[in-house]
Amino acid sequence: MRLNLVIVFSLLMGNLGAFSQEYKVSLSDTNKAIALTNKAIKQINIDMIDDAFHLLVEAVSVDSTYRNSYLQLYTVAMHSPHQRNQLITIANVEILGFL
């Protein structure tokens, strides 16, 4: 009897704990983040790093699930220590916002 309760309890907790967090982002927000990221990439190509950094920060704030914005932000942040420090601050805020 005791073993059956443990098994039932384990299965129940396993099923309840299997759900992941859901982030609902509208299609228009995703499209805006993509457009901002593409614009930032063009800015990077003409060495306007500061402008690209600000565009990417805005893209992350619009849609925090779009991975390419983070990758480009990392690329831009490697150009200067000041931007690296800002990126660390932004990443901490984003991570703490998810918790």
Side-chain angles (χ1 to χ4, degrees), residues 13-32:
M13 291 308 294
N15 285 335
L16 292 176
F19 297 108
S20 63
Q21 293 178 337
E22 292 183 29
Y23 298 104
K24 296 187 180 194
V25 180
S26 70
L27 186 58
S28 63
D29 286 343
T30 301
N31 288 337
K32 184 176 179 182

Side-chain angles (χ1 to χ4, degrees), residues 5 23 55 57 80:
L5 283 174
Y23 298 104
L55 287 170
V57 169
S80 80

Side-chain angles (χ1 to χ4, degrees), residues 63-82:
D63 181 2
S64 62
T65 63
Y66 184 58
R67 181 175 175 254
N68 195 28
S69 298
Y70 288 102
L71 294 174
Q72 296 302 322
L73 191 57
Y74 173 78
T75 302
V76 167
M78 291 299 104
H79 283 84
S80 80
H82 175 68

